[in-house]
Amino acid sequence: MPASGPGEIEFVATEGGARLCVRGEWTLAHHGTLAERVRALSAQAGAGEAATVDVDGLAALDTAGARLLHALLGPERIAALLADETALPRERRALLKAVADALAEPPVPAVGTQGSALGDVLADTGEAMVAFWRHLAGITGFIGLILETALRVAVQPRRWRMTALVANLERTGLDAVPIIALLTFLIGAVVAFLGATVLQNFGASIFTVDLVAYSFLREFGVLLTAIIVAGRTASSFTAQIGSMRANEEIDAIRVLGLDPVELLVLPRVYALLIALPMLTFVAMVSGLVGGMLVSATTLDISPVLFLSRIQDNVGLIHFWVGMAKAPIFAFLIAVIGCLEGFRVQGSAQSVGEHTTSAVVQSIFVVIVVDAIAALFCMEMGW
């Protein structure tokens, strides 16, 4: 029978080989006494050569006692003791194994070679390219998913969500008219003032009208509108869908058998496709009005002369070039905003990070696509 009372350890040398006998209670209550006995026995010559361990007299064992046994016996004899299923009850073997695993020494990390500055730069560049490629593949795949869903829903009018479309159209289009009109009006006035300041020195003040018209019809109208919408609407899309993702509402939609792309993404994409061209037209008109006001007050160019100059010297192609960019920008902004919302991991911090990422990506993509379109139109002579 196991002996009760404080734990005892005894090293016995017999003709059959060395044996270490463990008896009594190896618990936290007797930790001080047991620690002294373990240190004393470890100092004895030959204690480390004990081939077998006798634990038949072990009455109780907890993590403190298991820690002392591990220090006394060492990992190899503890492993041999655990391998013997008859030596200890199953629960004590499990406890001893857990303590042994926790005390196992971590592997020594291999000493790496010292890297060079060029190698570090190339490694960082490679990682950035891989991340960019994966992100581009994700956007491309999401665009394909949106187009597939749109084609599938287009032939089923009963699945069109007109209420969601109108609500998103109001938020993305109608509510943005004041800020778009005000900012483009002020920028139109600034462009006209700068043009007048420079061109007046050459006696070519009348060309201020052409400068304002060309810049707002081709570039500034759609570009400024897209940048404002990217900061205002893309962030809104990401925050809305990201909050639903964090609250597990997206999972609930899937459990109900509904398609989140059809329910959440398509109404937002359609609304922005309708709203951005209209906002672009508002921006063009507001910019021209701002330039007209500065021309009338600074250059004595009347509004009638201003409009007549535009009609005679500025072709309609410039208006259509600017308007043609609007649906492209709208689609890209909506896709990026919705995709970043679906990438939210489930915390408020993740919502903020992806909202910021959506705005930065949208503005970056808009500027890059606008630059490519400008080069293409220049080569085509449009």
Side-chain angles (χ1 to χ4, degrees), residues 176-189 212-213 215-229 275-291 319 322-323 326:
V177 169
I179 187 172
I180 295 291
L182 176 61
L183 291 180
T184 52
F185 173 83
L186 295 176
I187 294 175
V212 173
S215 60
F216 270 89
L217 292 179
R218 290 187 69 97
E219 297 294 336
F220 283 173
V222 64
L223 185 60
L224 292 173
T225 303
I227 291 175
I228 295 171
V229 169
L276 192 57
M278 294 191 296
L279 292 175
T280 299
F281 180 77
V282 171
M284 291 177 179
V285 173
S286 299
L288 292 177
V289 170
F319 170 78
M323 291 298 296

Side-chain angles (χ1 to χ4, degrees), residues 30-93:
H30 310 296
H31 184 271
T33 303
L34 290 171
E36 291 293 335
R37 292 177 181 177
V38 167
R39 281 194 294 269
L41 186 60
S42 299
Q44 294 182 13
E49 301 175 358
T52 60
V53 179
D54 182 5
V55 291
D56 292 339
L58 185 62
L61 181 68
D62 63 6
T63 53
R67 171 66 181 85
L68 292 174
L69 282 179
H70 187 276
L72 175 64
L73 302 178
E76 294 182 359
R77 283 190 291 181
I78 288 291
L81 187 62
L82 293 174
D84 186 3
E85 298 182 357
T86 62
L88 287 171
R90 181 175 60 182
E91 62 275 9
R92 290 185 181 175
R93 286 203 315 273

